Amino acid sequence: MTDKDAGTPRVFLYRHGETEWSKNGRYTGTTELELTPHGEAQVLASGAMIVGPGKLVDPSKLAHIFVSPRRRAQKTFELAFGEHGKQLDQKGKVSETERLAEWGYGLYEGLKTHEIREGRTSRGLDGNGWDIWRDGCEEGESAQQVTERLDDLIKDIHGFQAANMHGEKACDVVLVAHGHLLRAFTKRWLKYPMEFPLSMMLEPGAVGVLSYQHHNIEEPAFLIGVGFPIQQ
């Protein structure tokens, strides 16, 4: 960060690596899928680049890592953090939480977008106009249900960070989770309703960064670009 923002806590959004369904565009909620070999390579590459002492995600500066209970997220954490993750876990700084589970897709589990729309139309619902951010998923989660669990997690994160807006104590947080869920988290972090039209992309194995403006817990922000620490 720049000098004026130095010390401001950050939240790192770490999406799991590629799976067969993420590669094919299928909605993957509760289904347990392993990372593909390419997905493991994605995570190992990003982890080697950004996780470690003096790197962007410095284990010594982490207050907590929250991980989705899905195996693909658990494996991503293990690969990206390696021994650092084991040490943080021993210190009680790693926890699994259902609040980071992927959006519950219900009837749409395993389907592609065009299949979802076709199915909705066959059931007399609006197919072409379907928007998960507004309409949620049949027999799955509504946008309001996802909002509630993410808002609860944000409260916990504020508990780590509110008293440390100027770097008084290292309190960065990492979330290891899923594509839809982390984009939903970003909307709620910025205090936008789910239906707010904010187009976002997050590649498998990629990392996003959230923080605050003016060292103020009431001014959440996202970094559209991030500077990497200078290696001594």
Side-chain angles (χ1 to χ4, degrees):
M1 290 189 175
T2 61
D3 289 344
K4 72 180 181 64
D5 295 317
T8 308
R10 294 168 296 183
V11 178
F12 297 100
L13 312 179
Y14 212 135
R15 185 184 176 188
H16 66 75
E18 177 193 83
T19 67
E20 284 298 329
W21 281 12
S22 71
K23 182 170 67 174
N24 297 325
R26 297 189 180 278
Y27 284 62
T28 317
T30 56
T31 302
E32 291 286 18
L33 295 177
E34 305 297 335
L35 301 184
T36 63
H38 181 66
E40 292 192 1
Q42 287 174 324
V43 175
L44 287 168
S46 58
M49 181 176 293
I50 67 171
V51 177
K55 296 183 179 181
L56 183 65
V57 183
D58 188 331
S60 70
K61 297 181 179 179
L62 296 179
H64 208 80
I65 301 176
F66 293 97
V67 188
S68 162
R70 302 286 82 81
R71 283 206 304 267
R72 55 196 183 273
Q74 297 283 328
K75 185 65 173 181
T76 294
F77 164 68
E78 293 170 9
L79 292 174
F81 285 83
E83 287 300 317
H84 300 300
K86 294 177 182 178
Q87 293 168 10
L88 289 165
D89 193 19
Q90 290 170 358
K91 295 177 181 178
K93 291 188 174 184
V94 181
S95 61
E96 177 183 306
T97 175
E98 285 286 346
R99 293 173 295 181
L100 281 180
E102 181 59 294
W103 198 305
Y105 294 129
L107 292 181
Y108 307 157
E109 183 78 8
L111 301 182
K112 297 181 179 180
T113 300
H114 75 90
E115 294 171 328
I116 294 171
R117 289 176 171 161
E118 290 169 1
R120 286 177 60 88
T121 299
S122 72
R123 292 187 291 276
L125 300 172
D126 181 5
N128 290 332
W130 173 70
D131 181 350
I132 191 172
W133 306 106
R134 180 190 64 230
D135 306 321
C137 301
E138 294 175 83
E139 299 184 18
E141 283 187 295
S142 68
Q144 183 58 36
Q145 288 173 312
V146 176
T147 294
E148 289 171 0
R149 60 182 169 102
L150 291 179
D151 285 357
D152 187 64
L153 178 58
I154 289 171
K155 288 180 183 178
D156 282 356
I157 294 171
H158 285 172
F160 285 116
Q161 298 182 335
N164 302 291
M165 285 287 109
H166 291 82
E168 293 88 345
K169 179 180 178 183
C171 59
D172 288 346
V173 169
V174 179
L175 311 181
V176 186
H178 311 271
H180 258 129
L181 196 283
L182 290 174
R183 285 180 287 156
F185 181 90
T186 300
K187 286 189 175 186
R188 293 309 302 150
W189 182 262
L190 298 173
K191 303 181 181 180
Y192 294 145
M194 284 296 184
E195 65 270 20
F196 184 81
L198 181 64
S199 296
M200 295 172 284
M201 298 172 68
L202 185 62
E203 296 177 336
V207 177
V209 187
L210 303 175
S211 188
Y212 309 87
Q213 292 189 90
H214 309 124
H215 304 277
N216 188 345
I217 195 81
E218 298 300 330
E219 295 186 60
F222 65 91
L223 279 76
I224 61 172
V226 60
F228 287 85
I230 297 172
Q231 298 299 307
Q232 302 297 328

